[in-house]
Amino acid sequence: MPEPLRIIKTACPHDCPDACSILAHVQGDRLLRVEGSPHNPYTRGSLCRKVAHYEERVYSPDRVLYPLRRIGAKGEGKWERISWDAAIQEITTRWKGIIAEYGPEAVLPYSYAGTMGMVNMLACEGRLWNRMGASHLLRTICSSAATEGYRLVYGPMGGMDPEDFANSSLIIAWGINLSSTNVHLMPFVREAQAKGALFVVIDPFCTRTASAADRHIAVKPGTDAALALGLMHVLFAEGLHDEAFLEAHSVGWKELRNRCLQYTPQRVEEITGVEAETIVWLARACAERTTAIRLGYGLSRTAKGGGMVRAIACLPAVLGAWGKPGSGILLSASSHFPLRYAALLRPDLQVEPDSQSSVHWGRKRPRAINMNRIGAALLQENNPPVKSLYVFNCNPAAVAPHSGKVRQGLLREDLFTVVHEQMMTDTAQLADIVLPATTQMECLDLLTSYGHLYLNLCTPAIPPLGEARANIDVMNQLAHAMGYTEDAFQQDAEAIIRAALQSSSPIMQGVTYEALQQHGFMRLNVPSPYRPGADGHFPTPSGKVEFYSERAAHKGYDPLPNYEPPEESAAANPALAAQYPVNLLSPAAHHFLNSSFANIPSLQKGEKEPRIWIHPQDAEERGIEEGDWLRVWNQRGEVRLRAVLSRKVQPGVAWSPSLWWQKHSPQGSNVNALTSDSLTDMGGGSTFHTNLVQFERLDAS
Ligand SMILES: Nc1nc2c(c(=O)[nH]1)N[C@H]1C(S)=C(S)[C@@H](COP(=O)(O)OP(=O)(O)OC[C@H]3O[C@@H](n4cnc5c(=O)[nH]c(N)nc54)[C@H](O)[C@@H]3O)O[C@H]1N2
Ligand SMILES: Nc1nc2c(c(=O)[nH]1)N[C@H]1C(S)=C(S)[C@@H](COP(=O)(O)OP(=O)(O)OC[C@H]3O[C@@H](n4cnc5c(=O)[nH]c(N)nc54)[C@H](O)[C@@H]3O)O[C@H]1N2
Ligand SMILES: [Mo]
């Protein structure tokens, strides 16, 4: 008798705004297939290309199934299998030695959002490391610039309900490639379009999303703040602003109006490459229609990315759009979820560094290390040096900028690196100890979302493969072996989820562990559609929308939104641009999720090869033809990419969907060999898209 088929309600915790509800089909211990849950009103039963065949990832030959200890040279790929007990013993013995000699800050946890589970991401970022007094990682690689820019204007206010986009008559996807990175919003865009809405995409590249839009506005990279100020110039000049709203609910709108005087459509055309007529047209359309802006994190990964987001974020307020049907802006929904975050992170476990060891570094709090500067930190920090790195939920060798430095740092003989991973990634390859991690099909977790208003419970569908363990279980074991006896380290995933759900907020009313188990997902207890900002209150210090910001002035920023060119651009550094004349963008690939899925053969087939889109004019100047292999380089490094000649990209701009693993890339380098580890204007964010390069045919030199 074959074992009966079971269907388990679970969800996708990968780093994506859509956080889909999933039905997992299981027979015995085997995951047969997954399908989107038809019951979730936002994700509506469909799954993206990447997750639709999740069984390929779960049973990938790259899965790490047992703890491994390095036996060859670093990076050589020679391992011996060891037991979990031996691994935990070895790691904690090394840590105790390092802590005795250098203090706990010589240990650095390094993680991002491989899973976005509240337990296996968030709880694992706090607890153990707080108790240890380890160095604190600033998790800035993705959203910190955008978050800071947005919050200067609105404070921590969640954006529009994505389901309300169906009620818009103008939708602007600004610096976001919805058809690849937020696919479940597209049906709502289509629904609006069917009712007569206009769909506009603002992106330097004609993406899949732009190809499906009514209008594509090809802005020059890094200039969107000027475009936003130009649009507001037209709104103010033509009296299309909502003066009653601005008077009652904002600070500094007249100062903003004065600032916008400098941004005439003609001047903005010169800066952005967008025709003055288009700017006037779009401003008027925004005023005439109910306008929803879906603002991407993508565009904020530029040197002035925080300022760009800040300027764009002002638009719906100038229009008086908040609280009206189908109107407003959505950058992130995260702030809508009022969980008890302290129950996850446990900041109360924090100890002062001094009390931990004889080594005194003169600080009250553990030192902070920006994750974008991991290469520099590994090579240069000496107060104390980073002696041990514990990596989970992240693949820094492939995803962090200026990867030449990152690799050099990871190759340090005296660095003790532990990588807890599902796959033998580029980073795991460089570890001293690799620990096997469960996938979401094998462990329990709770999910919020940065793109919608539903909580999901990830329920394990199958037992862990091999000896894989969930992050939280490993953290607890490490804590015990370190001799930490606090109750926190006795809590398993379920106990932590229950604690996080104990919120007094009315928005969480009825959302219990049992209810989540029963339904799989639950909407926050808010009206449908939910219209934040409708009460005219904004969670800033003044309670109003802040165009003029004292907080910004206090931090040393311009108190008003403004446009500045990135330092690494033709406008600011013509000498550098003469040497490296092309701005290379390396945004999300359709078939990969950052570097996740980039080892799955069927998805590699979709992405074909590491490629670069260049304009025919740039190709002709260099004698390049379609399909040629190119050498692409700058002062930071060099990569090989296959040329695609296309007018989808502007002259002087190139586009390379990311990220391939280093080990699958020609000469072992992906685009991050070229990207810069300098930080954004605010938020300490990454600047992947501010990246001047030169290229030639591979056989040209
Ligand atoms: N398929 C897929 N989905 C993903 C991901 C993935 O890797 N693959 N990654 C996930 C993660 S971690 C995140 S943070 C999100 C990111 O999702 P998005 O916010 O969509 O980020 P990107 O694709 O990096 O960039 C979006 C667009 O910004 C454009 N862009 C670059 N510079 C500028 C600029 O100066 N101005 C303007 N207007 N546009 C600019 C790029 O051309 C690109 O088309 O997606 C998530 N979803
Ligand atoms: N050039 C360029 N670089 C970029 C970007 C870009 O647009 N261009 N995008 C940037 C952005 S937006 C982001 S968010 C970062 C993302 O960078 P990362 O956070 O490193 O994301 P991934 O590459 O998806 O790698 C996540 C890893 O976590 C592992 N993992 C998943 N679940 C678990 C788990 O439960 N436990 C453990 N231990 N491991 C798990 C996966 O197998 C995977 O190897 O990359 C950044 N890098
Ligand atoms: Mo991200």
Side-chain angles (χ1 to χ4, degrees):
M1 269 271 288
E3 291 182 80
L5 187 74
R6 290 175 298 129
I7 294 182
I8 286 121
K9 292 181 200 137
T10 185
C12 176
H14 281 280
D15 187 351
C16 168
D18 292 6
C20 293
S21 300
I22 288 181
L23 299 177
H25 294 243
V26 175
Q27 195 162 32
D29 288 347
R30 182 124 192 133
L31 175 73
L32 300 179
R33 65 183 186 93
V34 295
E35 65 172 326
S37 163
H39 308 295
N40 184 313
Y42 178 69
T43 60
R44 294 179 174 180
S46 72
L47 292 176
C48 69
R49 265 293 283 282
K50 308 178 290 300
V51 176
H53 292 286
Y54 206 72
E55 65 283 357
E56 272 188 83
R57 186 164 189 277
V58 170
Y59 299 110
S60 160
D62 290 328
R63 275 297 292 269
V64 179
L65 296 175
Y66 308 99
L68 301 171
R69 179 199 279 130
R70 164 170 80 89
I71 47 173
K74 280 217 179 189
E76 200 185 327
K78 287 196 182 140
W79 308 99
E80 64 176 346
R81 181 174 162 184
I82 55 174
S83 70
W84 267 105
D85 284 348
I88 297 282
Q89 177 72 28
E90 181 165 339
I91 295 165
T92 51
T93 304
R94 289 291 297 267
W95 282 352
K96 286 174 189 167
I98 288 170
I99 291 170
E101 194 172 343
Y102 299 94
E105 291 168 298
V107 179
L108 176 68
Y110 194 94
S111 72
Y112 202 63
T115 169
M116 299 205 71
M118 291 293 110
V119 174
N120 290 303
M121 178 181 70
L122 216 52
C124 293
E125 293 174 1
R127 296 173 169 244
L128 172 63
W129 315 108
N130 292 341
R131 174 63 183 81
M132 186 184 285
S135 280
H136 174 65
L137 186 74
L138 298 171
R139 293 178 167 85
T140 47
I141 204 164
C142 175
S143 59
S144 60
T147 303
E148 186 162 356
Y150 177 88
R151 287 188 177 182
L152 286 176
V153 186
Y154 296 117
M157 179 178 90
M160 277 181 73
D161 183 343
E163 290 168 63
D164 204 13
F165 276 63
N167 302 314
S168 309
S169 59
L170 171 61
I171 295 173
I172 305 177
W174 199 326
I176 187 168
N177 186 7
L178 297 176
S179 303
S180 294
T181 64
N182 187 190
V183 293
H184 293 83
L185 187 63
M186 282 308 285
F188 295 89
V189 175
R190 295 277 176 256
E191 200 178 318
Q193 277 182 302
K195 292 188 276 187
L198 271 179
F199 179 39
V200 175
V201 172
I202 304 179
D203 196 303
F205 183 76
C206 184
T207 56
R208 277 172 191 257
T209 316
S211 309
D214 298 303
R215 189 136 180 195
H216 170 218
I217 297 178
V219 65
K220 282 189 197 158
T223 66
D224 302 64
L227 182 57
L229 291 160
L231 292 170
M232 291 187 279
H233 173 102
V234 177
L235 295 176
F236 286 125
E238 299 192 359
L240 299 173
H241 58 292
D242 184 338
E243 197 154 326
F245 175 86
L246 293 174
E247 276 295 321
H249 302 298
S250 77
V251 177
W253 76 268
K254 288 183 180 154
E255 288 89 337
L256 176 68
R257 186 177 60 182
N258 280 344
R259 174 59 56 86
C260 289
L261 286 176
Q262 302 166 24
Y263 291 91
T264 59
Q266 289 68 29
R267 175 160 175 247
V268 172
E269 174 174 334
E270 282 162 29
I271 299 170
T272 63
V274 178
E275 288 173 357
E277 279 164 34
T278 304
I279 297 165
V280 173
W281 168 79
L282 184 61
R284 289 179 186 158
C286 285
E288 281 160 16
R289 292 169 176 263
T290 52
T291 302
I293 302 175
R294 181 66 172 99
L295 180 54
Y297 284 119
L299 105 168
S300 74
R301 293 182 207 113
T302 41
K304 306 294 177 188
M308 282 159 68
V309 167
R310 182 183 179 195
I312 295 165
C314 294
L315 263 168
V318 171
L319 290 163
W322 287 106
K324 296 183 184 155
S327 300
I329 199 165
L330 172 59
L331 171 69
S332 170
S334 299
S335 300
H336 289 306
F337 294 86
L339 300 184
R340 273 184 63 216
Y341 292 100
L344 294 161
L345 285 158
R346 296 296 303 266
D348 56 298
L349 295 169
Q350 191 116 16
V351 288
E352 292 193 4
D354 298 356
S355 64
Q356 275 282 295
S357 77
S358 55
V359 186
H360 179 78
W361 297 98
R363 280 183 290 261
K364 281 257 182 299
R365 310 197 120 260
R367 70 140 166 230
I369 289 181
N370 188 311
M371 71 185 298
N372 296 311
R373 310 291 320 272
I374 181 62
L378 292 177
L379 295 174
Q380 287 160 16
E381 274 291 340
N382 55 16
N383 184 20
V386 177
K387 298 295 288 181
S388 178
L389 194 65
Y390 183 90
V391 182
F392 62 104
N393 291 348
C394 199
N395 185 11
V399 307
H402 204 150
S403 55
K405 276 204 262 181
V406 180
R407 184 177 167 81
Q408 207 187 330
L410 289 170
L411 280 170
R412 249 178 54 199
E413 237 354 282
D414 67 325
L415 176 74
F416 177 60
T417 305
V418 181
V419 177
H420 187 202
E421 247 302 346
Q422 299 165 339
M423 305 287 167
M424 188 50 85
T425 60
D426 292 327
T427 311
Q429 199 87 28
L430 291 164
D432 296 285
I433 298 225
V434 184
L435 303 173
T438 47
T439 69
Q440 80 252 30
M441 292 296 148
E442 301 148 55
C443 67
L444 176 68
D445 220 321
L446 174 71
L447 280 185
T448 60
S449 157
Y450 60 101
H452 60 64
L453 302 175
Y454 297 83
L455 285 148
N456 272 285
L457 194 68
C458 290
T459 303
I462 53 172
L465 263 66
E467 292 181 2
R469 291 186 184 170
N471 295 353
I472 192 67
D473 297 334
V474 180
M475 297 274 173
N476 282 343
Q477 279 151 4
L478 289 167
H480 298 155
M482 288 300 291
Y484 304 154
T485 52
E486 287 80 357
D487 289 348
F489 303 115
Q490 306 295 338
Q491 284 184 309
D492 63 6
E494 183 179 327
I496 296 172
I497 294 171
R498 286 182 184 278
L501 289 173
Q502 272 167 21
S503 163
S504 54
S505 166
I507 288 179
M508 290 291 287
Q509 216 177 4
V511 183
T512 61
Y513 188 81
E514 284 70 24
L516 279 166
Q517 267 187 318
Q518 188 188 343
H519 303 292
F521 66 87
M522 288 179 85
R523 186 173 166 89
L524 288 169
N525 190 27
V526 291
S528 189
Y530 182 41
R531 303 214 161 100
D535 57 0
H537 178 81
F538 298 86
T540 57
S542 62
K544 298 180 177 190
V545 177
E546 297 191 350
F547 301 121
Y548 182 93
S549 166
E550 290 290 351
R551 276 186 303 167
H554 186 70
K555 289 184 169 191
Y557 312 144
D558 195 325
L560 286 167
N562 204 3
Y563 161 72
E564 286 176 279
E567 286 81 14
E568 191 172 315
S569 67
N573 191 345
L576 186 72
Q579 224 180 334
Y580 305 114
V582 177
N583 190 345
L584 174 61
L585 309 174
S586 55
H590 186 75
H591 303 82
F592 303 157
L593 194 128
N594 304 313
S595 75
S596 294
F597 299 93
N599 60 322
I600 304 300
S602 66
L603 296 168
Q604 287 175 333
K605 221 181 260 171
E607 225 38 57
K608 299 205 169 91
E609 274 164 320
R611 289 183 292 172
I612 183 169
W613 271 249
I614 57 174
H615 192 273
Q617 191 181 309
D618 287 321
E620 199 185 297
E621 281 170 15
R622 295 165 177 83
I624 293 166
E625 286 175 26
E626 176 77 22
D628 282 348
W629 278 99
L630 306 189
R631 183 171 87 88
V632 184
W633 79 98
N634 62 15
Q635 69 278 29
R636 293 178 284 267
E638 176 179 324
V639 294
R640 308 265 147 108
L641 298 165
R642 178 89 89 169
V644 180
L645 273 50
S646 168
R647 288 180 195 280
K648 289 186 172 179
V649 68
Q650 310 162 29
V653 178
W655 201 83
S656 181
S658 302
L659 282 158
W660 287 84
W661 286 12
Q662 309 274 20
K663 64 173 152 186
H664 300 147
S665 302
Q667 298 204 309
S669 284
N670 72 15
V671 283
N672 279 329
L674 307 172
T675 54
S676 164
D677 66 356
S678 42
L679 304 177
T680 44
D681 51 349
M682 47 183 84
S686 58
T687 56
F688 293 108
H689 297 321
T690 302
N691 184 17
L692 292 180
V693 302
Q694 178 59 289
F695 51 82
E696 63 181 10
R697 264 175 49 191
L698 193 52
D699 54 7
S701 52

